Amino acid sequence: MTKVIIIGGGWAGCSASLSAKKAGAEVTLIEKTDMLIGLGNVGGIMRNNGRYTATEENIYLGASELFEITDNASRHKNVDFPGHKHASLYDVTRVEPEVRKLLKDRGINVLLMSRANDIVIEDRKIKGIVLADGNVIEGDVFIETTGSTGPMGNCTRYGNGCAMCILRCPSFGPRLSISMRAGVEDILGKRGDGSYGAFSGSCELSKDSVSEEIRERLDSEGVVILPVPQEDINFEKLDLKVCQQYSLKEFSENIILLDTGHIKLMTPFYPLEKLRKIKGLERARYEDPYAGGKGNSIRYLSIAPRDNALKVNGVDNLLCAGEKAGLFVGHTEAISTGSLAGHNSVRLSLGMPLLELPRNTVIGDIIAFANEEIKDEDGLKKRYTFAGSVFFDRMKEKGTYSIDTEEIKKKIQRLDLLNIYNERLV
């Protein structure tokens, strides 16, 4: 049986595990922390704008399981906030245990608190992953889903220091770039001014630390918009954030709060003293990152060069997904790339042609478009998401943005891709 080893247990790693398992592989998922879904533990936004289209494409391709979990755990559905329509907001306290149970029930071997420390490689082919405790996890095909956030040195060099985010690098150790260890030079994303990396785009506040009125409005409506005092409006902060779909004028002029179990504050960081000047936030306190008054995690400093089937260039048996596969933003984008990489890992082991999703699917198009764009300097300063910025504009221009589920299903059927991720290959 084909042995597929996946390094990184975020959304991309979990989705890759599921699709590789369904294709017939024996799957081991390695995660350095004590929780799966990574930044999904402090995320929560699904189905907004073009992510609705991508979600439905994934479901009809056969990658429905994780979306079923997030849909079922949604505290609010069809929420509108500035620049975004029909969003679902899942409860960040409910999803990770459900994902962990799903992977266990599917027979996926999950190694938590197991940090990759090195690789064993011979003639462009990885033989095994060396863990921090010295154990070697051998496999036939490897998928890197380690993300692009941190480690602490990068957050200090390119940000405002370790912000003590959900990844908890001081306790669980730094991220390792498998592609770099295999001799492949990683690609670095940039900000508009040419500096490297970008701040994560939101923080989490404790619900108990805001006023009862705000809590009640969040519980009933899912979103609260509070005006920022004129003297504290800062448009320059929009250039810092990774989530260009939220780099809108309204996000500087207002505090936008979303209910995801915690309170999602849609800004990379916000000085606590200024935040507490706003009515209802006089006792506000950060849940993630703890230093959200000063900074946030730095991302996009470790992207692997790859083809549109998500195979890493220069290594015979390595694929990638999530932020490791491009300047992608979001859970849906991670699940989309992870599902394809997991499926293709088994194809690769069998010597079969790898699947490239057609460009008249939004998933296939974002994978190919992002790969084309990062070949020049300007493209390295952009972020690619179904939810906004340049790619959502492209979806609208091409007419591929749709919330008509039957129309999306028919498209996948016409392409003869219905439930392709559910096909057992070995």
Side-chain angles (χ1 to χ4, degrees), residues 209 217 219 260:
S209 72
R217 286 176 59 192
D219 286 341
T260 59

Side-chain angles (χ1 to χ4, degrees), residues 160-165 203 268-270 286 288-296:
N160 295 338
C162 174
M164 291 165 278
C165 76
C203 305
F269 55 91
Y270 203 100
Y286 285 100
D288 180 86
Y290 277 130
K294 181 183 178 183
N296 211 320

Side-chain angles (χ1 to χ4, degrees), residues 160 191-193 197-203 228 232-244 246-249 251-255 265-275 278 286 291-296 298:
N160 295 338
R191 304 174 198 173
D193 64 3
F199 282 98
S200 291
S202 64
C203 305
V228 170
D232 291 337
I233 293 174
N234 180 4
F235 292 109
E236 292 181 1
K237 189 178 285 189
L238 296 178
D239 295 331
L240 299 176
K241 66 194 302 182
V242 67
C243 307
Q244 291 179 349
Y246 308 125
S247 293
L248 307 172
K249 180 170 175 280
F251 286 79
S252 278
E253 296 177 332
N254 300 282
I255 289 290
L265 170 61
M266 302 298 291
T267 186
F269 55 91
Y270 203 100
L272 191 59
E273 192 167 323
K274 291 184 178 182
L275 189 66
I278 298 169
Y286 285 100
K294 181 183 178 183
N296 211 320
I298 295 293

